[in-house]
PDB file of all heavy atoms in Angstrom:
ATOM      1  N   MET B 121     -95.034  36.436  -3.373  1.00 97.00           N
ATOM      2  CA  MET B 121     -94.775  37.545  -4.283  1.00 97.00           C
ATOM      3  C   MET B 121     -95.479  38.819  -3.802  1.00 97.00           C
ATOM      4  O   MET B 121     -94.920  39.906  -3.850  1.00 97.00           O
ATOM      5  CB  MET B 121     -95.308  37.122  -5.664  1.00 97.00           C
ATOM      6  CG  MET B 121     -94.751  37.872  -6.841  1.00 97.00           C
ATOM      7  SD  MET B 121     -93.017  37.569  -7.114  1.00 97.00           S
ATOM      8  CE  MET B 121     -92.429  39.224  -7.149  1.00 97.00           C
ATOM      9  N   GLU B 122     -96.711  38.657  -3.323  1.00 97.00           N
ATOM     10  CA  GLU B 122     -97.450  39.822  -2.838  1.00 97.00           C
ATOM     11  C   GLU B 122     -96.756  40.487  -1.658  1.00 97.00           C
ATOM     12  O   GLU B 122     -96.713  41.709  -1.542  1.00 97.00           O
ATOM     13  CB  GLU B 122     -98.874  39.411  -2.431  1.00 97.00           C
ATOM     14  CG  GLU B 122     -99.838  39.489  -3.587  1.00 97.00           C
ATOM     15  CD  GLU B 122    -101.171  38.823  -3.277  1.00 97.00           C
ATOM     16  OE1 GLU B 122    -101.473  38.597  -2.096  1.00 97.00           O
ATOM     17  OE2 GLU B 122    -101.896  38.518  -4.234  1.00 97.00           O
ATOM     18  N   MET B 123     -96.182  39.649  -0.798  1.00 96.00           N
ATOM     19  CA  MET B 123     -95.461  40.156   0.370  1.00 96.00           C
ATOM     20  C   MET B 123     -94.274  41.030  -0.067  1.00 96.00           C
ATOM     21  O   MET B 123     -94.038  42.110   0.457  1.00 96.00           O
ATOM     22  CB  MET B 123     -94.951  38.916   1.118  1.00 96.00           C
ATOM     23  CG  MET B 123     -94.707  39.051   2.556  1.00 96.00           C
ATOM     24  SD  MET B 123     -94.552  37.386   3.279  1.00 96.00           S
ATOM     25  CE  MET B 123     -93.046  36.763   2.549  1.00 96.00           C
ATOM     26  N   VAL B 124     -93.552  40.532  -1.068  1.00 97.00           N
ATOM     27  CA  VAL B 124     -92.385  41.256  -1.572  1.00 97.00           C
ATOM     28  C   VAL B 124     -92.818  42.558  -2.258  1.00 97.00           C
ATOM     29  O   VAL B 124     -92.220  43.615  -2.058  1.00 97.00           O
ATOM     30  CB  VAL B 124     -91.602  40.343  -2.549  1.00 97.00           C
ATOM     31  CG1 VAL B 124     -90.569  41.134  -3.325  1.00 97.00           C
ATOM     32  CG2 VAL B 124     -90.945  39.194  -1.796  1.00 97.00           C
ATOM     33  N   ILE B 125     -93.872  42.464  -3.039  1.00 97.00           N
ATOM     34  CA  ILE B 125     -94.336  43.640  -3.778  1.00 97.00           C
ATOM     35  C   ILE B 125     -94.801  44.744  -2.830  1.00 97.00           C
ATOM     36  O   ILE B 125     -94.567  45.927  -3.072  1.00 97.00           O
ATOM     37  CB  ILE B 125     -95.484  43.252  -4.741  1.00 97.00           C
ATOM     38  CG1 ILE B 125     -94.920  42.401  -5.881  1.00 97.00           C
ATOM     39  CG2 ILE B 125     -96.183  44.477  -5.300  1.00 97.00           C
ATOM     40  CD1 ILE B 125     -95.987  41.800  -6.766  1.00 97.00           C
ATOM     41  N   ARG B 126     -95.431  44.341  -1.725  1.00 97.00           N
ATOM     42  CA  ARG B 126     -95.954  45.345  -0.797  1.00 97.00           C
ATOM     43  C   ARG B 126     -94.851  46.264  -0.300  1.00 97.00           C
ATOM     44  O   ARG B 126     -95.028  47.483  -0.196  1.00 97.00           O
ATOM     45  CB  ARG B 126     -96.629  44.638   0.386  1.00 97.00           C
ATOM     46  CG  ARG B 126     -97.403  45.603   1.221  1.00 97.00           C
ATOM     47  CD  ARG B 126     -98.070  44.956   2.402  1.00 97.00           C
ATOM     48  NE  ARG B 126     -97.986  45.878   3.517  1.00 97.00           N
ATOM     49  CZ  ARG B 126     -98.132  45.514   4.782  1.00 97.00           C
ATOM     50  NH1 ARG B 126     -98.345  44.249   5.087  1.00 97.00           N
ATOM     51  NH2 ARG B 126     -98.048  46.414   5.737  1.00 97.00           N
ATOM     52  N   VAL B 127     -93.698  45.690  -0.006  1.00 98.00           N
ATOM     53  CA  VAL B 127     -92.569  46.504   0.459  1.00 98.00           C
ATOM     54  C   VAL B 127     -92.183  47.529  -0.600  1.00 98.00           C
ATOM     55  O   VAL B 127     -92.045  48.724  -0.321  1.00 98.00           O
ATOM     56  CB  VAL B 127     -91.358  45.605   0.798  1.00 98.00           C
ATOM     57  CG1 VAL B 127     -90.119  46.448   1.038  1.00 98.00           C
ATOM     58  CG2 VAL B 127     -91.665  44.725   1.995  1.00 98.00           C
ATOM     59  N   ALA B 128     -92.042  47.059  -1.827  1.00 98.00           N
ATOM     60  CA  ALA B 128     -91.620  47.964  -2.902  1.00 98.00           C
ATOM     61  C   ALA B 128     -92.673  49.037  -3.152  1.00 98.00           C
ATOM     62  O   ALA B 128     -92.350  50.211  -3.336  1.00 98.00           O
ATOM     63  CB  ALA B 128     -91.377  47.157  -4.181  1.00 98.00           C
ATOM     64  N   ARG B 129     -93.940  48.643  -3.117  1.00 97.00           N
ATOM     65  CA  ARG B 129     -95.007  49.610  -3.377  1.00 97.00           C
ATOM     66  C   ARG B 129     -95.007  50.713  -2.317  1.00 97.00           C
ATOM     67  O   ARG B 129     -95.079  51.898  -2.624  1.00 97.00           O
ATOM     68  CB  ARG B 129     -96.359  48.897  -3.410  1.00 97.00           C
ATOM     69  CG  ARG B 129     -97.517  49.824  -3.736  1.00 97.00           C
ATOM     70  CD  ARG B 129     -98.839  49.091  -3.854  1.00 97.00           C
ATOM     71  NE  ARG B 129     -99.082  48.265  -2.675  1.00 97.00           N
ATOM     72  CZ  ARG B 129     -99.404  46.970  -2.713  1.00 97.00           C
ATOM     73  NH1 ARG B 129     -99.526  46.355  -3.865  1.00 97.00           N
ATOM     74  NH2 ARG B 129     -99.596  46.296  -1.599  1.00 97.00           N
ATOM     75  N   GLU B 130     -94.873  50.305  -1.038  1.00 98.00           N
ATOM     76  CA  GLU B 130     -94.906  51.330   0.018  1.00 98.00           C
ATOM     77  C   GLU B 130     -93.677  52.218  -0.011  1.00 98.00           C
ATOM     78  O   GLU B 130     -93.747  53.415   0.241  1.00 98.00           O
ATOM     79  CB  GLU B 130     -95.100  50.672   1.377  1.00 98.00           C
ATOM     80  CG  GLU B 130     -96.535  50.180   1.504  1.00 98.00           C
ATOM     81  CD  GLU B 130     -96.872  49.641   2.882  1.00 98.00           C
ATOM     82  OE1 GLU B 130     -96.148  49.949   3.850  1.00 98.00           O
ATOM     83  OE2 GLU B 130     -97.858  48.894   2.977  1.00 98.00           O
ATOM     84  N   LEU B 131     -92.524  51.620  -0.327  1.00 97.00           N
ATOM     85  CA  LEU B 131     -91.327  52.458  -0.450  1.00 97.00           C
ATOM     86  C   LEU B 131     -91.546  53.538  -1.511  1.00 97.00           C
ATOM     87  O   LEU B 131     -91.223  54.702  -1.306  1.00 97.00           O
ATOM     88  CB  LEU B 131     -90.122  51.602  -0.838  1.00 97.00           C
ATOM     89  CG  LEU B 131     -89.343  50.964   0.314  1.00 97.00           C
ATOM     90  CD1 LEU B 131     -88.310  49.977  -0.239  1.00 97.00           C
ATOM     91  CD2 LEU B 131     -88.649  52.024   1.168  1.00 97.00           C
ATOM     92  N   ARG B 132     -92.113  53.151  -2.623  1.00 96.00           N
ATOM     93  CA  ARG B 132     -92.319  54.109  -3.708  1.00 96.00           C
ATOM     94  C   ARG B 132     -93.464  55.069  -3.412  1.00 96.00           C
ATOM     95  O   ARG B 132     -93.318  56.277  -3.575  1.00 96.00           O
ATOM     96  CB  ARG B 132     -92.633  53.372  -5.014  1.00 96.00           C
ATOM     97  CG  ARG B 132     -91.491  52.542  -5.578  1.00 96.00           C
ATOM     98  CD  ARG B 132     -90.417  53.406  -6.212  1.00 96.00           C
ATOM     99  NE  ARG B 132     -89.486  52.580  -6.994  1.00 96.00           N
ATOM    100  CZ  ARG B 132     -88.173  52.599  -6.845  1.00 96.00           C
ATOM    101  NH1 ARG B 132     -87.601  53.396  -5.955  1.00 96.00           N
ATOM    102  NH2 ARG B 132     -87.406  51.838  -7.586  1.00 96.00           N
ATOM    103  N   GLU B 133     -94.590  54.525  -3.001  1.00 96.00           N
ATOM    104  CA  GLU B 133     -95.789  55.363  -2.956  1.00 96.00           C
ATOM    105  C   GLU B 133     -95.963  56.110  -1.646  1.00 96.00           C
ATOM    106  O   GLU B 133     -96.416  57.245  -1.635  1.00 96.00           O
ATOM    107  CB  GLU B 133     -97.026  54.518  -3.292  1.00 96.00           C
ATOM    108  CG  GLU B 133     -96.991  54.091  -4.753  1.00 96.00           C
ATOM    109  CD  GLU B 133     -98.175  53.269  -5.197  1.00 96.00           C
ATOM    110  OE1 GLU B 133     -98.973  52.858  -4.333  1.00 96.00           O
ATOM    111  OE2 GLU B 133     -98.292  53.033  -6.418  1.00 96.00           O
ATOM    112  N   VAL B 134     -95.601  55.506  -0.539  1.00 96.00           N
ATOM    113  CA  VAL B 134     -95.758  56.194   0.743  1.00 96.00           C
ATOM    114  C   VAL B 134     -94.543  57.063   1.047  1.00 96.00           C
ATOM    115  O   VAL B 134     -94.661  58.195   1.485  1.00 96.00           O
ATOM    116  CB  VAL B 134     -95.987  55.170   1.886  1.00 96.00           C
ATOM    117  CG1 VAL B 134     -96.115  55.889   3.222  1.00 96.00           C
ATOM    118  CG2 VAL B 134     -97.214  54.313   1.593  1.00 96.00           C
ATOM    119  N   HIS B 135     -93.343  56.522   0.784  1.00 96.00           N
ATOM    120  CA  HIS B 135     -92.136  57.248   1.185  1.00 96.00           C
ATOM    121  C   HIS B 135     -91.453  57.975   0.027  1.00 96.00           C
ATOM    122  O   HIS B 135     -90.414  58.593   0.215  1.00 96.00           O
ATOM    123  CB  HIS B 135     -91.157  56.279   1.836  1.00 96.00           C
ATOM    124  CG  HIS B 135     -91.730  55.598   3.051  1.00 96.00           C
ATOM    125  ND1 HIS B 135     -91.715  56.185   4.299  1.00 96.00           N
ATOM    126  CD2 HIS B 135     -92.384  54.420   3.194  1.00 96.00           C
ATOM    127  CE1 HIS B 135     -92.313  55.375   5.170  1.00 96.00           C
ATOM    128  NE2 HIS B 135     -92.738  54.292   4.519  1.00 96.00           N
ATOM    129  N   ASP B 136     -92.030  57.871  -1.149  1.00 96.00           N
ATOM    130  CA  ASP B 136     -91.459  58.522  -2.333  1.00 96.00           C
ATOM    131  C   ASP B 136     -89.970  58.197  -2.477  1.00 96.00           C
ATOM    132  O   ASP B 136     -89.159  59.055  -2.809  1.00 96.00           O
ATOM    133  CB  ASP B 136     -91.668  60.046  -2.256  1.00 96.00           C
ATOM    134  CG  ASP B 136     -91.491  60.691  -3.635  1.00 96.00           C
ATOM    135  OD1 ASP B 136     -91.484  59.957  -4.633  1.00 96.00           O
ATOM    136  OD2 ASP B 136     -91.342  61.923  -3.698  1.00 96.00           O
ATOM    137  N   PHE B 137     -89.635  56.938  -2.218  1.00 97.00           N
ATOM    138  CA  PHE B 137     -88.245  56.504  -2.305  1.00 97.00           C
ATOM    139  C   PHE B 137     -87.850  56.347  -3.771  1.00 97.00           C
ATOM    140  O   PHE B 137     -88.504  55.640  -4.526  1.00 97.00           O
ATOM    141  CB  PHE B 137     -88.095  55.163  -1.568  1.00 97.00           C
ATOM    142  CG  PHE B 137     -86.726  54.551  -1.693  1.00 97.00           C
ATOM    143  CD1 PHE B 137     -85.624  55.166  -1.103  1.00 97.00           C
ATOM    144  CD2 PHE B 137     -86.536  53.373  -2.399  1.00 97.00           C
ATOM    145  CE1 PHE B 137     -84.362  54.608  -1.226  1.00 97.00           C
ATOM    146  CE2 PHE B 137     -85.278  52.810  -2.515  1.00 97.00           C
ATOM    147  CZ  PHE B 137     -84.189  53.419  -1.927  1.00 97.00           C
TER     148      PHE B 137
END
Side-chain angles (χ1 to χ4, degrees):
Chain B
M121 200 67 233
E122 271 168 17
M123 205 165 67
V124 168
I125 290 172
R126 191 181 142 199
V127 170
R129 183 176 52 231
E130 287 186 19
L131 273 171
R132 293 285 192 233
E133 292 181 351
V134 179
H135 301 276
D136 198 14
F137 175 67

